[in-house]
Amino acid sequence: MAAAAISGGHLVLSTPTSTRRPQLLPIHPPSARPIAASSASAARRGVAAAAVSSPAAVPSTGKDGKQVPKDFLHINDFDKDTIMKILNRAIEVKAMIKSGDRSFQPFKGKSMAMVFAKPSMRTRVSFETGFFLLGGHAVYLGPDDIQMGKREETRDVARVLSGYNDIIMARVFAHQDILDLAKYAPVPVINGLTDYNHPCQIMADALTMIEHIGRIENTKVVYVGDGNNIVHSWLLLAAVIPFHFVCACPKGFEPDAKTVEIARSAGSKIEITNDPKEAVKGADVVYTDVWASMGQKEEAEYRKQVFQGFMVDEALMEMAGPKAFLMHCLPAERGVEVTDGAIEAPNSIVFPQAENRMHAQNAIMLHVLGA
C-alpha cells in the first residue's frame, strides 16, 4: 500500500434530471510488511493534464519519457508499480507514526489548502492531522469560505491558492470542479472526493486489505448497495491491480457502464448483480456504504424501499464465509445499510480502515510532493 506513472483526461458530469444520480461518463479513466508489486506493470493511460500559468510545479517526466501526473485525481492515472509504491510507503510511515517517532518532518515549512464544498469529519481530520504530524500546516476552507464556481471561478481559485500553498486538497460535488482545479493549479491537487470517485478512500481500503489479508491481487471484494463513487473507485483500482470485484445493487442503481468496462478491459473479473446473497459467497471483503449520499438525502425514504434486501447483516456475513471481513467507508447509518451487530463483530475492520485514511493520504501527499 515501485515505477513511472501515467495520467489521463477524464469526465464531465451532467446535471441530474431525475431522482437517479447523474450519469458519469469517464473518457479514461495484523502487522503489515511492505509487499512488492508484480513484474507486469499496468498499461499506460493517456497524457497528463498540463498545469496552467505560474512558474511552479508541472508534471515531471518518467524514465520512459512520458509525463508523470502532478495530481492525485483517479487511481488509474497511475500504473500498478506506482500504486504499490505509495501503499508500501504508507505502511512504513504509519509504523513510524505509531511508534511515536516524530523525527520525520518532510512537510516542514509547507502549507496545504483544504477546500470543502462537502463537509466531512474523516477527510478533514485525517488530512489535517496527517499533514501536521509530518511537519506541515493545513488551512481549512469550508463551504461558505470560497463558494467555488459561484462567488469565484474555479480557475481563479486554483491559481490564487497555489500562490499561498504547496498543495491543494479538495472535496467537491461535481467531478469537473476537481479537473478544473488540477488544470489551473500549478501545485499538486488531491481529489478528496467527488460525485464520481473517491480515490483516497480506496487507497486506505487497499492498505487495510494488505494489513488484514496480506494482498489485494486475486482477492474477491463484494460491494453491496448503491453503485456510487465508491464503486467507481474500486473499479478504477481493478483497472490497475487485478482482483475479482462484484457490485450487488438494485436494478437502476448500477455503476457507470464505461467505468465497468475500463476495469474489465484491464483484465479484472467484474460482476454486476442484483442478488447480494449469491454475490457474497466466498468473499474476502464485504463492503457497503450509505444508500443515499450527501446531496441525495431527499431520496432517502425512496431508496430505503428500493434497497430492501441489501442490508449487510450478520446473516449475510455468515453467507460470505468465515474468511470475510466487513468494510464500510463511514459514516454508517446503523440499522439501514448495515446492522449494529455486523459493524461491531470481530470480523469488522471498519475502524482500522477509517484510521488508514490518514496513513494512505500521507503517502499520497509524499508522492505528489516528491518527498
Side-chain angles (χ1 to χ4, degrees), residues 71-73 112-120 123-124 127 139-141 146 148 154 157-158 161 167-182 185 188-195 197-200 357 361 365:
D71 311 298
F72 196 87
L73 306 182
M112 172 172 59
M114 303 190 303
V115 179
F116 283 82
K118 281 186 174 184
S120 168
T123 300
R124 177 178 178 178
F127 267 106
V139 179
Y140 173 78
L141 297 163
I146 295 181
M148 193 168 64
T154 303
V157 170
L161 290 180
I167 186 171
I168 298 169
M169 185 282 296
R171 179 181 169 92
V172 298
F173 287 92
H175 194 70
Q176 189 62 44
D177 286 345
I178 202 76
L179 299 181
D180 289 344
L181 263 180
V189 172
I190 294 178
N191 179 357
L193 174 141
T194 72
D195 285 346
N197 72 336
H198 195 356
C200 291
R357 283 289 302 277
Q361 289 161 187
M365 290 188 289

Side-chain angles (χ1 to χ4, degrees), residues 95-359:
M96 192 181 305
I97 289 173
K98 299 289 276 186
S99 74
D101 183 356
R102 297 292 183 268
S103 63
F104 184 53
Q105 299 281 288
F107 300 149
K108 185 175 182 180
K110 295 187 182 297
S111 63
M112 172 172 59
M114 303 190 303
V115 179
F116 283 82
K118 281 186 174 184
S120 168
M121 176 181 75
R122 269 157 299 280
T123 300
R124 177 178 178 178
V125 176
S126 59
F127 267 106
E128 189 167 341
T129 302
F131 203 64
F132 166 76
L133 288 173
L134 299 185
H137 172 71
V139 179
Y140 173 78
L141 297 163
D144 295 328
D145 292 320
I146 295 181
Q147 296 180 9
M148 193 168 64
K150 296 179 181 178
R151 192 169 71 186
E152 191 165 1
E153 288 194 26
T154 303
R155 57 184 171 175
D156 295 347
V157 170
R159 287 175 282 194
V160 169
L161 290 180
S162 295
Y164 306 138
N165 299 278
D166 301 279
I167 186 171
I168 298 169
M169 185 282 296
R171 179 181 169 92
V172 298
F173 287 92
H175 194 70
Q176 189 62 44
D177 286 345
I178 202 76
L179 299 181
D180 289 344
L181 263 180
K183 178 180 179 181
Y184 289 100
V187 303
V189 172
I190 294 178
N191 179 357
L193 174 141
T194 72
D195 285 346
Y196 173 66
N197 72 336
H198 195 356
C200 291
Q201 177 65 58
I202 268 53
M203 290 293 283
D205 299 341
L207 173 60
T208 308
M209 288 178 67
I210 289 174
E211 290 178 333
H212 289 84
I213 300 172
R215 69 192 191 284
I216 305 164
E217 199 161 341
N218 300 320
T219 58
K220 181 180 180 181
V221 176
V222 180
Y223 177 97
V224 179
D226 182 27
N228 60 13
N229 53 2
I230 293 292
V231 176
H232 295 152
S233 300
W234 275 112
L235 290 167
L236 295 181
L237 179 64
V240 179
I241 299 174
F243 62 94
H244 183 185
F245 180 75
V246 185
C247 176
C249 57
K251 290 181 180 179
F253 290 84
E254 294 85 359
D256 173 65
K258 290 191 177 182
T259 308
V260 172
E261 186 53 36
I262 289 171
R264 282 183 176 150
S265 64
S268 283
K269 182 179 180 181
I270 308 297
E271 296 181 85
I272 310 299
T273 179
N274 308 124
D275 185 352
K277 293 179 180 178
E278 187 63 30
V280 298
K281 292 178 181 178
D284 294 288
V285 170
V286 176
Y287 197 113
T288 191
D289 187 13
V290 293
W291 292 342
S293 299
M294 197 177 301
Q296 299 172 328
K297 294 306 180 183
E298 72 282 356
E299 301 177 33
E301 290 307 313
Y302 166 71
R303 285 174 177 246
K304 283 180 183 178
Q305 299 302 315
V306 174
F307 281 76
Q308 289 300 309
F310 287 84
M311 177 190 285
V312 177
D313 56 15
E314 295 91 324
L316 192 68
M317 291 303 298
E318 190 171 340
M319 291 179 196
K323 69 174 183 176
F325 289 103
L326 173 66
M327 298 179 78
H328 192 308
C329 53
L330 299 178
E333 293 191 55
R334 297 181 184 225
V336 181
E337 79 279 354
V338 65
T339 61
D340 210 51
I343 210 168
E344 296 292 350
N347 61 338
S348 169
I349 52 175
V350 167
F351 297 105
Q353 174 191 1
E355 180 188 336
N356 278 340
R357 283 289 302 277
M358 180 176 76
H359 304 299

Side-chain angles (χ1 to χ4, degrees), residues 46-64:
V47 181
V52 177
S53 109
S54 181
V58 294
S60 59
T61 302
K63 293 178 182 177
D64 56 4

